[in-house]
Amino acid sequence: MLTRKPVAGYDISHSLPVYSMEKAPYRASWKTFVLPVTFITYGILARTVNGVGELDHSIHRRLDKRSDRRVPVDDYMQYIPAVGVYVTDWCGLKAKHSWQDRTILMATSHLLMAGTVQTMKRTIRADCPDGGKRSFPSGHTATVFTGAHLLFREYKDTSFWPGIAGYTVATTTGLLRMVNRRYWFSDVVAGAGIGILSVEASYLLLPLFQKKDNLREQTDARFTFFPLAIPQQTGVGMVCTF
């Protein structure tokens, strides 16, 4: 916000206004988008350019030779980093934003991520390693990397450990999606890129919601939106406090 400050020794009505920036909005560097865009681009090239996707089949053949066992724990691991965004501050680490702003970031990130993933799945309709459809990109990987990157962004100024833990869970989840023969390597990489990119976009959009919230403070009712995710379904919940 821009605030007007008087200059000592002068009558403010006869002098030019002096402004100071109290709170600057989040400004993302182009470097922030290099990694997720690279991940998404690789995934698309693996699906469209001959030879690029050979790594997918090479990894799949090696996994087939090692074991036929399935590890379904990845269906639940995908939500762990998102929970950590709210739980970590109970351990004494301070998040960058309040609970309300974190909820806005969480909801915006997951809506952008889910919309992108479902649109690409329905448009591309790639085959899964196990014979299923709509392989590209990996929704589980996109979900877990959304939570992991948000966990990193909120606590990186206090400690890097939450981010490291989140990325470890996210990487493990992506590996398990391949071990379980559900997705190709390029599907997992593209899903990770979509998750990270969705979080960065949500930080750019946060000031818009904060302005609306400032106007809403003049009313009696308060609304809070939050992501709702259960196996095979995603959505948004809302709580209204009068």
Side-chain angles (χ1 to χ4, degrees), residues 4-242:
R4 186 171 183 173
K5 288 187 174 180
V7 180
Y10 291 90
D11 184 352
I12 192 66
S13 62
H14 298 289
S15 62
L16 294 175
V18 179
Y19 294 97
S20 64
M21 185 66 71
E22 290 184 351
K23 185 177 180 180
Y26 169 67
R27 300 182 184 279
S29 169
W30 63 269
K31 298 179 181 179
T32 306
F33 299 97
V34 170
L35 184 63
V37 170
T38 300
F39 282 177
I40 298 172
T41 301
Y42 167 76
I44 294 175
L45 291 177
R47 290 293 178 180
T48 57
V49 179
N50 293 331
V52 179
E54 179 58 31
L55 181 60
D56 287 347
H57 298 280
S58 176
I59 293 176
H60 182 65
R61 287 192 294 268
R62 292 185 180 183
L63 292 175
D64 275 342
K65 292 180 180 179
R66 294 193 174 187
S67 175
D68 291 331
R69 298 178 60 184
R70 300 293 186 267
V71 187
V73 70
D74 52 349
D75 289 334
Y76 307 98
M77 288 180 63
Q78 60 178 319
Y79 305 116
I80 293 178
V83 175
V85 173
Y86 295 98
V87 175
T88 302
D89 55 358
W90 291 352
C91 302
L93 298 179
K94 184 178 180 181
K96 183 178 295 184
H97 292 90
S98 65
W99 275 61
Q100 181 178 354
D101 285 346
R102 272 178 280 170
T103 301
I104 294 175
L105 289 167
M106 184 75 71
T108 306
S109 299
H110 278 82
L111 285 174
L112 292 173
M113 177 273 298
T116 303
V117 168
Q118 293 304 319
T119 299
M120 296 179 72
K121 281 181 176 291
R122 295 175 184 275
T123 302
I124 300 175
R125 299 184 61 83
D127 293 334
C128 301
D130 62 358
K133 297 294 183 180
R134 298 177 180 177
S135 170
F136 183 84
S138 170
H140 281 60
T141 309
T143 299
V144 72
F145 268 92
T146 297
H149 193 57
L150 186 56
L151 183 63
F152 165 73
R153 294 284 281 105
E154 282 299 305
Y155 293 97
K156 68 174 184 176
D157 295 336
T158 304
S159 174
F160 277 98
W161 288 111
I164 293 174
Y167 288 136
T168 300
V169 173
T171 303
T172 302
T173 302
L175 291 174
L176 288 176
R177 297 310 284 169
M178 293 187 291
V179 170
N180 292 335
R181 317 299 196 274
R182 291 292 300 157
Y183 293 99
W184 305 98
F185 174 71
S186 58
D187 301 333
V188 171
V189 172
I194 292 172
I196 295 173
L197 189 61
S198 298
V199 173
E200 292 298 330
S202 70
Y203 275 92
L204 292 175
L205 295 173
L206 180 61
L208 298 179
F209 293 101
Q210 289 175 328
K211 290 179 181 179
K212 292 181 180 180
D213 187 65
N214 290 336
L215 294 176
R216 196 179 299 123
E217 288 180 356
Q218 300 176 6
T219 66
D220 295 329
R222 301 292 182 87
F223 293 88
T224 300
F225 296 89
F226 56 90
L228 177 64
I230 59 177
Q232 307 302 325
Q233 294 184 10
T234 57
V236 179
M238 182 185 73
V239 174
C240 179
T241 304
F242 296 93

